[in-house]
């Protein structure tokens, strides 16, 4: 099985810390090894020269028949076997070994088929090398720790700015086009910009351009819808003067459709501009649901499982429920049931369900809310009813979710509206 690392190991801070530690350890090991080798070479060389100098004096004393210097002798005890063999073979040499629990530097030379050897104390040199190694290790640890702290501080500043940029990007994705990173480096032209500042500036520029384009589209939609209201009003009045008949009915139906489309476009423009104002009051949710059903003029069953009083805008609430009911009757099949269960209101039909794109991404303008090729014979629509329902629900602070009941649940499309700010009321 593949090993799954914790999520925090994927962060830039963690990766940077690992990189800093690895590089510092590598550098400390390389420098420490070089210093250790060089100092050890010099220390051993000094001790060897001293031992050979003492051996030279011992050799002169031996040849002159004089007493040998202290710690010198022929085949003395403790002389390493390898050095004795070297001296017996006619060569001079030195070696460091342990004798009586302390390090000794031995030097030996040939003397009438035997080994003339002398010894000097190597303890101080060994302590010098050991102290140097400890100093190298301690300074390396301190250097790594200090570098890691400084590096973590620098990387954290960068990652904090990256997180801020990502947060602003998510806010823009959720529709907050006023969100900006506002990096201080982008506001002062005299300051050099790093890569994070460049990304932040690009995101702010993109958000500003997107906001300008959307505002232009909103103004265009609102202006067109507003300009259409006057001629459509006249056209509707003129259609009332036509003689009764099938052609007149078709004209009046088309005029009503165009007038409703115009009103929907105006409402969407107001929702997009954020100019809608909520007028809340305390309303009994079951009564609001029944009122919405009566206003729709449809045969919709109302089931109140648990009634509540909610702080909401009744007109907007009825608008949301009315659009959901109208969509269920237009694109689904009977029976259509509206259920009130506490702060949750559900509108369900028994048709083929919502299309996959609508369940995954929500309603899209000018795209029908009917199931793909299904529903009530694949009824056509502009897709504005559900769009308006979602927009009005957001104004109310409610959550509107679309899903399908599934074959095991009897099929059909299900719209679930969850309201905030509910208080207990009388049971239905």
């Amino acid at each position: 099985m593949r090993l799954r690392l914790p999520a925090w190991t994927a962060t830039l801070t963690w990766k940077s810390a690992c990189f800093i530690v690895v590089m510092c350890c590598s550098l400390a090991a390389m420098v420490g090894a070089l210093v250790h080798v060089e100092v050890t070479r010099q220390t051993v060389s000094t001790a060897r020269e001293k031992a050979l100098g003492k051996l030279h004096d011992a050799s002169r004393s031996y040849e002159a028949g004089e007493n040998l210097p202290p710690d010198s002798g022929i085949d003395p005890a403790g002389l390493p076997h390898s050095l004795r063999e070297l001296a017996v073979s006619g060569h001079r040499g030195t070696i460091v070994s342990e004798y009586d629990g302390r390090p000794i530097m031995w030097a030996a030379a040939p003397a009438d088929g035997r080994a003339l050897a002398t010894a000097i104390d190597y303890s101080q040199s060994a302590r010098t090398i050991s102290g140097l190694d400890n100093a190298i290790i301690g300074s390396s640890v301190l250097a790594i720790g200090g570098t890691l702290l400084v590096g973590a501080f620098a990387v954290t500043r960068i990652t904090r700015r990256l997180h801020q940029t990502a947060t602003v990007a998510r806010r823009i994705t959720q529709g907050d086009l006023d969100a900006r990173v506002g990096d201080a480096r982008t506001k002062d032209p005299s300051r050099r910009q790093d890569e994070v500042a460049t990304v932040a500036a690009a995101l702010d520029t993109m958000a500003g351009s997107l906001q300008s384009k959307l505002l232009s589209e909103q103004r265009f939609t609102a202006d067109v819808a507003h300009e259409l209201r006057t001629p459509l009003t006249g056209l509707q009045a003129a259609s009332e003067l036509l003689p009764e008949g099938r052609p007149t009915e078709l004209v009046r139906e088309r005029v009503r459709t165009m007038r409703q489309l115009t009103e929907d476009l105006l409402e969407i423009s107001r929702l997009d501009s954020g100019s809608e104002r909520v007028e809340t009051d305390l309303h009994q949710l079951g009564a609001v649901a029944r009122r919405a059903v009566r206003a729709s003029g449809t045969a919709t069953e109302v089931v109140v499982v648990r009634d509540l009083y909610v702080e909401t805008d009744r007109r907007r609430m009825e608008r949301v429920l009315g659009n959901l009911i109208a969509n269920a009757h237009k694109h689904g099949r009977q029976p259509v049931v509206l259920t009130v269960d506490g702060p949750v209101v559900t509108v369900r039909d028994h048709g083929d369900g919502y299309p996959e794109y609508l369940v995954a991404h929500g309603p899209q303008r000018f795209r029908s809310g009917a199931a793909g090729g299904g529903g009530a014979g694949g009824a056509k629509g502009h897709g504005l009813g559900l769009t308006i329902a979602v927009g009005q629900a957001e104004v109310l602070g409610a959550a509107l979710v679309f899903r399908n009941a599934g074959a095991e649940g009897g099929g059909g499309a299900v719209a679930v509206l969850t309201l905030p700010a509910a208080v207990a009321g009388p049971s239905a």
Side-chain angles (χ1 to χ4, degrees), residues 17-375:
C18 290
F19 176 77
I20 292 173
V21 170
V22 171
M23 293 303 297
C24 286
C25 289
S26 301
L27 182 61
M30 182 179 65
V31 174
L34 291 176
V35 173
H36 172 82
V37 169
E38 182 62 22
V39 172
T40 301
R41 184 187 66 80
Q42 293 180 4
T43 303
V44 172
S45 178
T46 301
R48 181 181 291 113
E49 290 177 0
K50 184 177 179 181
L52 291 175
K54 186 175 181 180
L55 177 64
H56 178 70
D57 294 339
S59 297
R60 291 178 61 182
S61 299
Y62 176 77
E63 292 173 356
E66 299 175 354
N67 292 329
L68 297 178
D71 298 325
S72 301
I74 302 298
D75 293 332
L79 180 64
H81 179 72
S82 59
L83 185 58
R84 178 181 286 110
E85 292 292 329
L86 181 66
V88 170
S89 65
H91 298 86
R92 302 173 65 184
T94 60
I95 192 172
V96 177
S97 67
E98 290 285 336
Y99 182 65
D100 287 341
R102 58 193 181 97
I104 300 294
M105 169 69 78
W106 292 94
D112 299 330
R114 293 182 298 174
L116 173 61
T118 185
I120 63 172
D121 189 4
Y122 193 73
S123 300
Q124 183 61 39
S125 299
R127 284 194 296 268
T128 300
I129 295 174
S130 177
L132 175 66
D133 291 341
N134 292 333
I136 291 175
I137 294 174
S139 60
S140 298
V141 171
L142 290 177
I144 292 172
T147 305
L148 185 60
L149 289 176
V150 174
F153 174 74
V155 172
T156 301
R157 291 189 62 186
I158 295 175
T159 55
R160 187 184 301 116
R161 293 166 60 199
L162 288 174
H163 283 307
Q164 180 184 2
T165 303
T167 301
V168 171
R170 285 190 288 267
R171 288 173 57 189
I172 294 174
T173 302
Q174 295 170 359
D176 184 6
L177 298 182
D178 292 325
R180 298 291 186 274
V181 179
D183 195 303
R185 291 167 178 78
T186 63
K187 299 178 181 179
D188 187 357
S190 63
R191 298 183 63 179
R192 294 184 178 274
Q193 296 188 11
D194 57 9
E195 288 78 2
V196 179
T198 302
V199 173
L203 179 63
D204 288 348
T205 302
M206 180 199 71
S209 176
L210 179 62
Q211 186 177 36
S212 299
K213 290 181 179 179
L214 289 178
L215 290 177
S216 298
E217 292 179 0
Q218 291 171 10
R219 285 194 296 269
F220 174 77
T221 302
D223 291 343
V224 169
H226 187 271
E227 292 298 326
L228 285 175
R229 295 180 74 179
T230 301
L232 284 175
T233 301
L235 187 60
Q236 184 176 13
S239 66
E240 299 297 331
L241 301 176
L242 295 175
E244 297 296 332
R246 180 59 180 167
T248 300
E249 293 179 2
L250 292 175
V251 170
R252 291 174 180 171
E253 180 185 354
R254 295 305 178 188
V255 170
R256 284 194 298 269
T257 301
M258 291 184 64
R259 187 175 180 83
Q260 183 60 47
L261 175 60
T262 301
E263 296 298 330
D264 288 345
L265 289 175
L266 283 172
E267 185 170 358
I268 288 178
S269 297
R270 291 192 297 270
L271 291 172
D272 288 342
S273 64
S275 60
E276 296 288 90
R277 295 294 178 265
V278 181
E279 298 178 359
T280 61
D281 199 354
L282 199 61
H283 298 281
Q284 191 174 1
L285 194 53
V288 174
R290 295 187 183 94
R291 182 186 177 95
V293 169
R294 287 195 301 269
S296 69
T298 59
T300 301
E301 180 184 355
V302 178
V303 178
V304 179
V305 178
R306 180 168 60 94
D307 207 352
L308 287 177
Y309 281 87
V310 292
E311 188 78 20
T312 188
D313 187 324
R314 183 175 59 82
R315 181 183 65 84
R316 298 182 189 279
M317 181 67 183
E318 292 177 359
R319 175 69 159 151
V320 173
L321 296 180
N323 283 14
L324 295 178
I325 293 170
N327 185 82
H329 282 279
K330 186 174 184 179
H331 300 294
R333 286 193 291 267
Q334 296 282 356
V336 175
V337 182
L338 186 152
T339 304
V340 177
D341 188 359
V344 180
V345 182
T346 303
V347 178
R348 176 184 176 182
D349 62 49
H350 289 74
D352 295 331
Y354 292 118
E356 293 183 1
Y357 80 86
L358 193 149
V359 175
H361 306 291
Q364 300 178 16
R365 300 173 188 180
F366 298 101
R367 189 167 182 179
S368 173

